[in-house]
Amino acid sequence: MTLTTKPFVNESDSRFKLFHELMAKKVRNILLVSTPYDAWIMEEDCRLSERIVNEYRGLNLSQPPRLNWVSSAEEALAALEHHPFDMVITMPRLSDMGAAAFGYRIKEKAPHIPVILLSHDAIPSPEMVEANQAPGIDRTFIWSGNTEILVALIKSAEDRMNADADTQSADVRVILFVEDSPYYLASLLPILYRELVIQTQAVMEGTLNEEHRLVTMRARPKILVAGNYEEALSLYERFESHVLAVISDVRFPRHGALDESAGVDFLKHVRAKRFDIPLLLTSSEPDYAGRAAAVPAVFVDKNSDTLHQDVRRFVKDHLGFGDFIFRLPDGTQIGRASNLKALEDHLRTLPEDSFKYHCNRNDFSRWLFARTETVLAAALRPIQNDDFSDVETHRRHLIDMIAESRKKRQKGIVADFDAADADFDTEFFKIGKGSLGGKARGLAFISSLLRQNSELGAKHSGVDIAVPQTLVITTDGFESFVEDNQLRYLSKTDLPDEKIAELFVAGRFPGWIEENLRGYLKQVNYPLAIRSSSLLEDAQFRAYAGLYRTYMISNDCPDLELRLKHLIHAIKLVYASTYYKGPKAFSKRVGHRTEEEQMAVIIQKMVGFPYGSSFYPAISGVAQSYNYYPFARMKPEEGIVTIALGLGKTVVEGEKTLRFSPAHPQILPQRSTVDDILKNAQRHFYALKLQRSCHYLEANDGAHLWHRELSEAEDELPVRLLSSTYIAEEHRIRDTIHIPGQRVLTFAHVLKYKEFPLADILKDLLQLGEKGMGCPVEMEFSVNLGESKAQPSQFAFLQLRPMTARDEMQQVYISNQEIEDAFCFSQKALGNAVKRDMADILFVKPDTFDSAKTVAIARELARLNATLVRENRKYLLIGPGRWGSADRWLGIPVLWADISGVGAMVETQSEKMVAEPSQGSHFFHNITTLGINYITIAAVHGGRLDWEWLLSQPRLSETPHVAHVRLDTPLLLKVDGRQSTCVIVAKNNPEAH
């Protein structure tokens, strides 16, 4: 006989009624107390509701989980009075109340509601320590912006609420996880949950109705977290007969004090009771491996670069979660499947005798039950070969059932890309189910804000304000590529960037991404920017800005396959930059494992127009809502903008640009006289090469760009619209190009005459971004200037990220005596700090300084830095011009890896090198993100540096251009962020008291 396809679950079937009773207590309403940006990430990035739908939806299909956001503790307490909530998620610093006091107030009102504390910083602040120890906080996690931790913490709370009932009613298994560190909880708990549900992800994302998907997830093992010995022992004794495994840290509290042996003793207790429970001991000290073996237990080093892999391996190898092994009747292995898709693919070509062998043994249903794929497994179990007229009919039926269960049915704000029916008017596509990464998150967020604030479009009706069409390859693409090509080891090597790029380019690219990209390029033939979007890029707590690569490709080759090959080449190079020296050094500085970094890739329509063999926008820029160096009538909160003609590489690498406040666009500090304008005006710009061929790409991401002279482009529209004319005879600049003379890029028609309302648009958008993120923001943008109504002007968002440099910390007071004693004094300093951790000074020797030798000086600094990093000694860096500038005539062109051990930086003035402070560069952003104080010595502002004292100090070592001084006593550095004032005092300075 031939069976027809029928629903997997019959509601009258008593076999499934039991599972409908599981997970009776759900987290359906979450009160989130945070900034608007944090709230948006939790609800929208990667579609949190879609990813945990089976954990949230009960029998009533019309009530998905909701995040309810408020911005203060008092609002939250008021909301709890009027609405039922199942969980509260809060940040450590609220505008009106500390988290500890807030949690206590909640427990007074509703002691049963779990209160979860999320902190952005792995280094505990006093507020976080207090909150973590407070009776009102149930659990603390470190959050890096990854939505997986949000899924995990909610699952954890639900598991705790339902464990007693579900273990008794359905023998649901329990994994006991003993860990008191918020950092490792946030790192490992998502890994454990991911491994438990990885076999059900295809079902969750398929076309089965939501109730059935919920049933599938309800029977999964539960994870119960304990933070001390007494809690762990209590949980174990309560669920002893249902414990599937125990994972324990070595050191955690016992009897109220941190105990070095608590973990080992606990595992010994479990082993004495039950010999068959898999045990895992985790520690940051490798010496505990021997003690683990004596238990016996598996051991994992927390400091290992493969920590996550080691935990996954334990789950797979010891808890019965593994691949489906296809065998012939004689036991010969002929294939394996790790997920439903692989199972389906293998079934299509599986030999008939193997297919019958597995069906007769019920192997398919058994494997699915092991992954709590209960709905599909239950449907397969009763089906026998005899139910079908032939084996092929049975095979097709089985494949159809599996395929049906994994079809996609949800779409979020960011639409899944499907080449067959993609609507190319859609602004945002994604390929994959992982995270969008930080940069793409910011773009999606600003796109959401623009939709919610449509009045901005009406206010600036002549301008199209939008995010350029964007396709994101999510982080699971990177994970797939790295794992398939076994490249993870590069996260802990010291290979040159070029060698890493070579290994990535040689790797095999995932076919599922390649096919989607082929379909995409069939419809798209405009220039594309291939940009990084790592998990930590533009995160609020430690933003990695400009450390990864961006490639721009013309995408104009007639051959589709050649264009596809070129695009994949660019993606591989962006992937490769994850493991370059700069990001590794930055990760080491912030205490982050490179292994944990995940990279999404943005493929974005480039903004600009073709001009001959070049393609570029009229204006690119970086805008910041807070100005660290206000001038004249400018106020810090009015922001600052840095713009340039052409591609934004000019701006982010610190070359000659124009800076202005959007509130005062005609106040231009570096252009107060005609001579200033001529000296500081941009003379070169970047453009993409257009040659109807695929330019070779390499680790250097600028090889495919033109670095053009402005004089070459005088007849091109952007130059004509943005230039004025210098009349040498009159020593005067006139804002027209219709007279003879030298063209000078002044942007006067935009800033002075507002022919394009750039300043007004930026004022509105900075305000919008700051309101949305709850902090000062930085945005990258490009502008196309249209010639007619048929071709309107365009303002395009390229990036939105928080400004992490402005930290509301302790108040720093600098006395008059300290100013008098200081060998370095500045009133143009960035940050807010008191530091006593630097006894080393590296300075560029003023007597041998040559502006033509800045590249050599950068190399000398890199060698000295490497030595100090190995010795774990932070240092003060002093030198002329703009640090980190890509223009070697404006400053020392160091990269982050060259000075990764620096504690503070001093920029001195030199007659040979004059540069305005650069706030828009990626280098500047990363310096401020790390809390590295940037100090500018400007005599005009009353600053000073005692060169006589510095040059008199004995030198520990020196190179042709750099001297290394080591003091007996560490320096005292104070920066008052309210006044932008800094003093650096040396105890062995005779002037110091």
Side-chain angles (χ1 to χ4, degrees):
M1 63 178 285
T2 301
L3 296 182
T4 57
T5 302
K6 58 184 179 182
F8 290 161
V9 180
N10 185 332
E11 291 301 326
S12 64
D13 193 332
S14 60
R15 290 175 300 173
F16 290 93
K17 288 183 178 179
L18 178 63
F19 293 100
H20 281 286
E21 302 296 324
L22 298 178
M23 297 294 288
K25 298 177 182 178
K26 307 298 294 181
V27 174
R28 293 192 177 92
N29 289 289
I30 303 167
L31 182 61
L32 171 64
V33 192
S34 71
T35 66
Y37 180 54
D38 288 321
W40 182 88
I41 291 176
M42 293 177 189
E43 190 166 24
E44 299 296 341
D45 183 36
C46 300
R47 295 298 299 163
L48 182 62
S49 297
E50 292 177 8
R51 297 182 64 189
I52 60 172
V53 62
N54 289 349
E55 290 295 301
Y56 285 84
R57 295 193 177 181
L59 297 178
N60 188 338
L61 302 182
S62 64
Q63 294 182 355
R66 293 186 59 191
L67 288 171
N68 303 270
W69 170 73
V70 294
S71 60
S72 70
E74 288 301 330
E75 284 183 73
L77 294 169
L80 285 166
E81 291 283 355
H82 304 291
H83 303 283
F85 290 102
D86 305 302
M87 172 182 281
V88 176
I89 299 175
T90 182
M91 301 300 167
R93 295 181 188 177
L94 305 178
S95 61
D96 56 347
M97 190 180 299
F102 177 50
Y104 184 79
R105 293 278 301 276
I106 291 176
K107 293 297 185 179
E108 283 185 323
K109 292 177 177 290
H112 64 283
I113 296 180
V115 180
I116 305 298
L117 172 66
L118 291 186
S119 174
H120 288 300
D121 203 336
I123 302 172
S125 63
E127 295 92 339
M128 179 183 163
V129 171
E130 179 188 4
N132 195 28
Q133 297 172 346
I137 303 297
D138 293 283
R139 201 73 65 192
T140 302
F141 295 86
I142 302 299
W143 183 46
S144 65
N146 183 359
T147 52
E148 288 186 355
I149 185 58
L150 299 173
V151 176
L153 68 88
I154 297 167
K155 286 177 182 293
S156 178
E158 291 184 340
D159 282 359
R160 182 65 71 107
M161 290 188 288
N162 292 284
D164 286 292
D166 292 359
T167 51
Q168 293 302 314
S169 65
D171 266 349
V172 170
R173 303 289 96 181
V174 167
I175 296 174
L176 187 55
F177 181 31
V178 190
E179 179 61 72
D180 69 324
S181 164
Y183 175 81
Y184 285 109
L185 271 175
S187 179
L188 296 180
L189 196 60
I191 297 296
L192 295 174
Y193 274 113
R194 189 186 313 133
E195 289 305 312
L196 292 182
V197 303
I198 196 169
Q199 298 297 333
T200 65
Q201 289 301 309
V203 174
M204 291 173 66
E205 295 162 1
T207 55
L208 291 176
N209 72 57
E210 293 150 2
E211 180 181 346
H212 296 162
R213 285 180 284 154
L214 172 62
V215 169
T216 300
M217 286 302 302
R218 282 179 170 177
R220 64 160 177 80
K222 301 186 185 305
I223 300 175
L224 300 182
V225 179
N228 57 58
Y229 189 92
E230 290 74 20
E231 186 181 15
L233 188 61
S234 173
L235 287 173
Y236 175 74
E237 291 177 348
R238 200 158 101 210
F239 299 105
E240 180 179 345
S241 61
H242 296 96
V243 173
L244 178 64
V246 177
I247 300 172
S248 176
D249 187 19
V250 166
R251 185 186 300 109
F252 50 83
R254 175 160 51 175
H255 304 308
L258 208 59
D259 191 324
E260 300 284 340
S261 301
V264 174
D265 291 349
F266 180 65
L267 291 188
K268 285 181 178 178
H269 175 80
V270 174
R271 177 62 73 217
K273 293 271 190 176
R274 292 277 302 273
F275 71 93
D276 59 340
I277 295 180
L279 305 177
L280 174 65
L281 186 68
T282 67
S283 174
S284 55
E285 300 176 23
D287 293 345
Y288 275 95
R291 297 186 66 180
V295 173
V298 178
F299 178 77
V300 166
D301 183 353
K302 283 183 174 181
N303 287 330
S304 167
D305 286 328
T306 59
L307 172 63
H308 289 182
Q309 296 178 55
D310 295 341
V311 173
R312 290 189 188 106
R313 189 177 301 113
F314 171 78
V315 173
K316 290 181 179 179
D317 293 349
H318 296 272
L319 306 190
F321 299 98
D323 293 348
F324 186 96
I325 309 299
F326 291 93
R327 302 183 186 276
L328 293 172
D330 63 3
T332 303
Q333 180 177 330
I334 59 173
R336 59 197 307 135
S338 60
N339 53 45
L340 282 179
K341 179 62 169 65
L343 183 72
E344 178 189 334
D345 291 342
H346 277 287
L347 284 173
R348 297 182 190 281
T349 57
L350 194 65
E352 184 174 307
D353 55 348
S354 176
F355 179 80
K356 292 170 66 177
Y357 168 78
H358 289 298
C359 287
N360 290 334
R361 290 161 49 92
N362 263 342
D363 285 342
F364 297 125
S365 61
R366 188 180 303 111
W367 185 75
L368 292 167
F369 271 124
R371 282 148 185 78
T372 67
E373 188 61 70
T374 54
V375 176
L376 186 56
L380 292 179
R381 174 181 284 175
I383 299 175
Q384 304 294 322
N385 282 323
D386 294 342
D387 294 332
F388 298 87
S389 59
D390 54 63
V391 171
E392 289 309 308
T393 303
H394 185 184
R395 186 201 304 268
R396 284 196 304 271
H397 179 70
L398 182 57
I399 291 172
D400 288 345
M401 291 179 71
I402 296 171
E404 180 185 354
S405 72
R406 48 175 298 276
K407 289 179 182 177
K408 300 172 182 177
R409 75 180 289 189
Q410 284 108 1
K411 275 191 176 184
I413 293 176
V414 180
D416 292 332
F417 180 77
D418 185 343
D421 60 1
D423 179 358
F424 278 82
D425 288 330
T426 302
E427 192 173 81
F428 239 100
F429 290 114
K430 69 180 175 74
I431 296 173
K433 292 295 179 183
S435 173
L436 299 174
K439 193 178 293 183
R441 264 202 307 260
L443 284 171
F445 178 61
I446 197 66
S447 177
S448 171
L449 285 181
L450 288 174
R451 282 195 300 271
Q452 297 169 26
N453 294 271
S454 56
E455 67 275 7
L456 279 176
K459 181 178 178 181
H460 306 288
S461 57
V463 183
D464 178 19
I465 302 175
V467 174
Q469 188 177 77
T470 300
L471 171 68
V472 180
I473 302 173
T474 59
T475 52
D476 50 350
F478 173 77
E479 293 295 295
S480 176
F481 178 81
V482 169
E483 294 296 333
D484 290 350
N485 293 284
Q486 299 182 353
L487 295 172
R488 186 76 66 183
Y489 74 97
L490 294 174
S491 67
K492 49 189 176 181
T493 65
D494 196 31
L495 292 175
D497 293 351
E498 292 75 14
K499 180 60 178 176
I500 291 175
E502 182 181 314
L503 292 169
F504 267 76
V505 168
R508 184 177 66 256
F509 199 70
W512 59 277
I513 304 178
E514 183 172 344
E515 281 307 305
N516 275 292
L517 293 178
R518 181 177 284 107
Y520 175 73
L521 289 182
K522 284 179 181 178
Q523 303 294 326
V524 168
N525 57 9
Y526 43 69
L528 298 170
I530 319 304
R531 313 173 69 202
S532 63
S533 182
S534 81
L535 205 58
L536 294 177
E537 206 160 12
D538 302 349
Q540 282 192 297
F541 71 120
R542 287 286 186 267
Y544 289 42
L547 293 175
Y548 305 116
R549 293 294 190 262
T550 292
Y551 292 89
M552 298 175 188
I553 61 177
S554 57
N555 192 36
D556 59 353
C557 178
D559 188 332
L560 172 64
E561 292 303 313
L562 199 56
R563 287 194 289 129
L564 176 63
K565 181 180 179 181
H566 197 224
L567 174 58
I568 290 173
H569 188 185
I571 294 168
K572 288 179 178 179
L573 287 173
V574 173
Y575 281 166
S577 67
T578 310
Y579 296 153
Y580 284 175
K581 286 186 177 180
K584 283 178 183 173
F586 194 92
S587 294
K588 184 176 181 180
R589 181 65 179 260
V590 301
H592 179 77
R593 269 194 298 274
T594 300
E595 181 224 0
E596 293 182 356
E597 181 65 298
Q598 299 176 40
M599 180 68 73
V601 173
I602 297 170
I603 302 170
Q604 192 170 57
K605 181 180 182 179
M606 279 188 65
V607 179
F609 290 118
Y611 302 99
S613 58
S614 294
F615 183 96
Y616 61 94
I619 302 171
S620 291
V622 173
Q624 297 169 316
S625 63
Y626 192 86
N627 179 9
Y628 292 105
Y629 301 107
F631 178 86
R633 300 195 308 274
M634 299 178 186
K635 297 177 181 178
E637 60 274 13
E638 290 173 336
I640 190 73
V641 182
T642 307
I643 59 173
L645 170 75
L647 298 175
K649 187 177 178 70
T650 303
V651 176
V652 298
E653 296 201 353
E655 298 186 21
K656 286 189 175 181
T657 55
L658 176 63
R659 297 171 62 241
F660 68 93
S661 167
H664 309 281
Q666 296 185 42
I667 299 177
L668 305 176
Q670 73 271 50
R671 300 194 176 189
S672 55
T673 68
V674 171
D675 288 334
D676 286 341
I677 295 173
L678 295 175
K679 182 178 181 180
N680 295 312
Q682 181 185 355
R683 294 188 179 88
H684 301 85
F685 68 98
Y686 287 96
L688 177 67
K689 298 176 182 177
L690 294 179
Q691 296 176 322
R692 291 184 63 77
S693 63
C694 294
H695 313 294
Y696 179 73
L697 301 174
E698 52 191 32
N700 171 16
D701 57 5
H704 48 296
L705 305 178
W706 301 114
H707 197 210
R708 299 183 60 192
E709 292 271 358
L710 188 71
S711 57
E712 297 175 0
E714 286 187 2
D715 295 331
E716 295 172 10
L717 179 66
V719 178
R720 288 192 283 113
L721 294 178
L722 300 174
S723 293
S724 300
T725 303
Y726 171 62
I727 306 171
E729 296 81 5
E730 303 175 10
H731 192 54
R732 178 183 176 190
I733 294 176
R734 296 184 60 187
D735 297 328
T736 178
I737 59 166
H738 300 296
I739 57 176
Q742 176 187 340
R743 302 295 180 241
V744 183
L745 201 59
T746 62
F747 299 90
H749 293 278
V750 169
L751 300 183
K752 188 184 296 187
Y753 304 110
K754 298 187 177 182
E755 293 178 7
F756 178 85
L758 179 62
D760 292 337
I761 291 174
L762 287 170
K763 273 196 299 185
D764 290 340
L765 295 180
L766 285 172
Q767 182 180 5
L768 180 66
E770 192 170 67
K771 181 180 179 182
M773 284 195 167
C775 66
V777 295
E778 177 174 278
M779 64 174 64
E780 294 184 20
F781 61 90
S782 286
V783 171
N784 275 336
L785 298 176
E787 289 188 278
S788 63
K789 290 184 179 180
Q791 190 182 65
S793 295
Q794 179 187 17
F795 180 98
F797 277 99
L798 304 182
Q799 195 164 350
L800 179 71
R801 57 174 171 250
M803 290 179 69
T804 50
R806 189 185 179 208
D807 195 7
E808 302 296 340
M809 299 183 292
Q810 60 181 335
Q811 291 189 347
V812 177
Y813 295 96
I814 297 174
S815 68
N816 291 332
Q817 187 64 56
E818 286 170 331
I819 294 175
E820 183 180 336
D821 291 345
F823 84 89
C824 178
F825 172 68
S826 171
Q827 291 181 298
K828 295 189 63 148
L830 177 61
N832 191 79
V834 177
K835 294 181 178 178
R836 296 182 177 88
D837 59 353
M838 294 178 291
D840 292 84
I841 304 174
L842 297 184
F843 65 89
V844 178
K845 295 186 287 189
D847 54 336
T848 62
F849 175 67
D850 182 348
S851 56
K853 302 289 187 181
T854 54
V855 175
I857 294 172
R859 288 196 295 265
E860 293 172 23
L861 284 169
R863 290 193 294 271
L864 292 168
N865 173 78
T867 300
L868 289 168
V869 168
R870 284 194 298 270
E871 297 174 1
N872 195 27
R873 298 183 68 92
K874 291 184 180 179
Y875 59 89
L876 177 68
L877 179 60
I878 302 173
R882 183 185 299 163
W883 286 108
S885 173
D887 186 340
R888 63 192 184 94
W889 301 103
L890 296 180
I892 314 298
V894 288
L895 302 175
W896 167 246
D898 299 332
I899 57 165
S900 57
V902 71
M905 308 173 72
V906 177
E907 176 183 313
T908 63
Q909 288 189 327
S910 169
E911 293 179 359
K912 303 173 184 177
M913 186 173 288
V914 179
E916 283 292 312
S918 173
Q919 296 189 46
S921 70
H922 286 145
F923 182 88
F924 181 90
H925 184 89
N926 289 325
I927 291 296
T928 57
T929 291
L930 289 171
I932 296 170
N933 302 102
Y934 195 95
I935 301 138
T936 303
I937 303 299
V940 68
H941 294 287
R944 69 173 189 274
L945 180 69
D946 189 345
W947 278 110
E948 182 179 350
W949 172 83
L950 184 57
L951 294 172
S952 70
Q953 298 304 303
R955 300 177 182 182
L956 186 66
S957 65
E958 60 183 313
T959 64
H961 301 95
V962 182
H964 176 195
V965 168
R966 179 166 293 170
L967 304 175
D968 296 331
T969 306
L971 298 163
L972 169 64
L973 179 145
K974 284 188 172 184
V975 180
D976 179 356
R978 297 164 299 165
Q979 306 295 330
S980 299
T981 301
C982 169
V983 294
I984 306 178
V985 181
K987 289 292 180 65
N988 57 348
N989 181 354
E991 300 296 326
H993 289 71

